Amino acid sequence: MDWEKSYDGKIVIVTGGASGIGKALCEKLGRLGAVVIVTDIDEEGAKAVASNVKKQQGGKAFALKLDVTNENAFKKLIDGTVRKHKRLDYIFNSAGVTINGDMQDLTMDHFRKAIDVDMYGVLYGTKYAYQAMIGQKSGHIVNIASLVGLTPSVPYNIPYAMAKHAVVCLSRSLRAEGRPLGVKVSVVCPGFVETDMLVKSSTIINGKEVEVDMSVFKKLNMVKVDRAIKIILKGVCRNKETIIFPSRLVATLGAISFVPSFKKFRSQIEQLRQIAERN
């Protein structure tokens, strides 16, 4: 396929590369012949993915520890990549966290954590990759947002939704600025993808993290991760501004709070709050 050939030999940075969409992107890009810089705050996880890319996928990969909330570290990563490889063709800003719960249960620290990772973590990567790409007059910035970054209302996940709305705005606005300078920008807005992100997500009741049954969302028929990666990379190759999937969820954007899975999730929160208050 032509779109697959477009990644061969390209220099690519992926954040959040130790798990989820980031990991799947690294593995697929490795199979397509890209030189993949796998970054994650989980250094051992990043090393495992890079090793798999080299051994199983037959590709070229390097693992580096990166805390995306550390602006200076992010700048050094990008500057170092350009010095070593003479260019940066793609950056996939994929690192993210999700914090669930009613507004009344969340502290400002919960908001700061989500905003630091999901918004500033993307902003730093975008800012410094953009500077490098302007100099070379080429390159493509790909920011992984979410379908919730497009919805009019997203209950029980406000910190994440706030940050993802900001990422969508950042990406679309910068795309217009970057076009005459040779820099492309795309934003990816997936619905539920079959990764471990939901399992790892935090749900807060009365300011404390609790376990909630997230399997209620599986009824939304999650997109298989391999399918999601194909849609993303194909859309990036075609320089799409906004890559949205699955189409069946797009139709519910204006009424996502009425989706049965969200109602069941809310019911769990209420039950757990009542238990916490009794204790």
Side-chain angles (χ1 to χ4, degrees), residues 68-115:
V68 296
T69 69
N70 186 326
E71 179 183 359
N72 189 50
F74 218 144
K75 184 178 185 301
K76 286 183 177 179
L77 166 73
I78 291 173
D79 290 346
T81 298
V82 174
R83 279 197 305 270
K84 180 175 182 177
H85 299 282
K86 309 305 179 186
R87 70 183 195 278
L88 173 61
D89 298 304
Y90 294 93
I91 183 169
F92 288 81
N93 288 306
S94 179
V97 297
T98 181
I99 299 174
N100 309 304
D102 279 352
M103 173 70 94
Q104 62 182 307
D105 292 318
L106 300 173
T107 67
M108 293 310 298
D109 283 340
H110 294 128
F111 278 87
R112 291 186 186 97
K113 179 179 179 180
I115 291 169

Side-chain angles (χ1 to χ4, degrees), residues 219-238:
K219 295 181 180 180
L220 291 175
N221 298 318
M222 294 185 183
V223 178
K224 298 289 186 182
V225 68
D226 289 346
R227 172 65 179 161
I229 299 307
K230 181 178 179 180
I231 293 171
I232 292 169
L233 293 180
K234 194 172 182 179
V236 170
C237 177
R238 293 178 176 176

Side-chain angles (χ1 to χ4, degrees), residues 4-272:
E4 291 183 325
K5 295 177 182 178
S6 68
Y7 296 99
D8 187 24
K10 301 302 184 182
I11 309 301
V12 185
I13 292 175
V14 180
T15 71
S19 62
I21 288 178
K23 176 184 177 181
L25 278 168
C26 291
E27 292 173 344
K28 180 64 173 179
L29 286 163
R31 288 195 295 272
L32 297 179
V35 177
V36 186
I37 294 92
V38 185
T39 74
D40 202 288
I41 195 168
D42 175 7
E43 186 175 12
E44 292 306 311
K47 287 179 178 178
V49 172
S51 177
N52 182 59
V53 169
K54 289 185 284 188
K55 292 179 180 178
Q56 305 298 325
Q57 321 301 336
K60 297 179 180 179
F62 305 89
L64 293 171
K65 182 176 182 177
L66 175 67
D67 177 355
V68 296
T69 69
N70 186 326
E71 179 183 359
N72 189 50
F74 218 144
K75 184 178 185 301
K76 286 183 177 179
L77 166 73
I78 291 173
D79 290 346
T81 298
V82 174
R83 279 197 305 270
K84 180 175 182 177
H85 299 282
K86 309 305 179 186
R87 70 183 195 278
L88 173 61
D89 298 304
Y90 294 93
I91 183 169
F92 288 81
N93 288 306
S94 179
V97 297
T98 181
I99 299 174
N100 309 304
D102 279 352
M103 173 70 94
Q104 62 182 307
D105 292 318
L106 300 173
T107 67
M108 293 310 298
D109 283 340
H110 294 128
F111 278 87
R112 291 186 186 97
K113 179 179 179 180
I115 291 169
D116 281 348
V117 176
D118 296 333
M119 189 189 80
Y120 280 108
V122 173
L123 176 59
Y124 297 150
T126 298
K127 168 65 175 175
Y128 295 112
Y130 187 63
Q131 288 182 345
M133 291 174 178
I134 287 175
Q136 64 193 26
K137 298 181 180 178
S138 66
H140 201 144
I141 297 167
V142 184
N143 293 330
I144 309 298
S146 169
L147 204 62
V148 304
L150 300 171
T151 58
S153 61
V154 186
Y156 327 127
N157 202 357
I158 292 175
Y160 180 78
M162 281 175 57
K164 293 304 183 181
H165 271 271
V167 169
V168 171
C169 180
L170 164 67
S171 305
R172 287 174 163 176
S173 299
L174 186 61
R175 181 180 174 90
E177 287 189 25
R179 186 181 297 113
L181 301 175
V183 181
K184 301 173 183 176
V185 184
S186 297
V187 61
V188 182
C189 296
F192 291 97
V193 178
E194 201 172 78
T195 69
D196 56 0
M197 186 171 186
L198 270 180
V199 176
K200 291 182 176 180
S201 66
S202 302
T203 298
I204 309 301
I205 304 292
N206 288 344
K208 297 181 180 180
E209 187 172 338
V210 299
E211 289 189 10
V212 175
D213 180 12
M214 304 302 288
S215 65
V216 295
F217 291 104
K218 291 184 178 180
K219 295 181 180 180
L220 291 175
N221 298 318
M222 294 185 183
V223 178
K224 298 289 186 182
V225 68
D226 289 346
R227 172 65 179 161
I229 299 307
K230 181 178 179 180
I231 293 171
I232 292 169
L233 293 180
K234 194 172 182 179
V236 170
C237 177
R238 293 178 176 176
N239 192 27
K240 292 185 67 174
E241 177 195 75
T242 309
I243 302 166
I244 309 174
F245 62 91
S247 57
R248 63 179 175 273
L249 278 184
V250 175
T252 68
L253 283 178
I256 196 166
S257 61
F258 299 105
V259 173
S261 295
F262 281 87
K263 288 185 175 181
K264 291 180 180 179
F265 183 67
R266 173 58 187 256
S267 177
Q268 288 188 70
I269 289 177
E270 288 301 326
Q271 291 175 16
L272 288 167

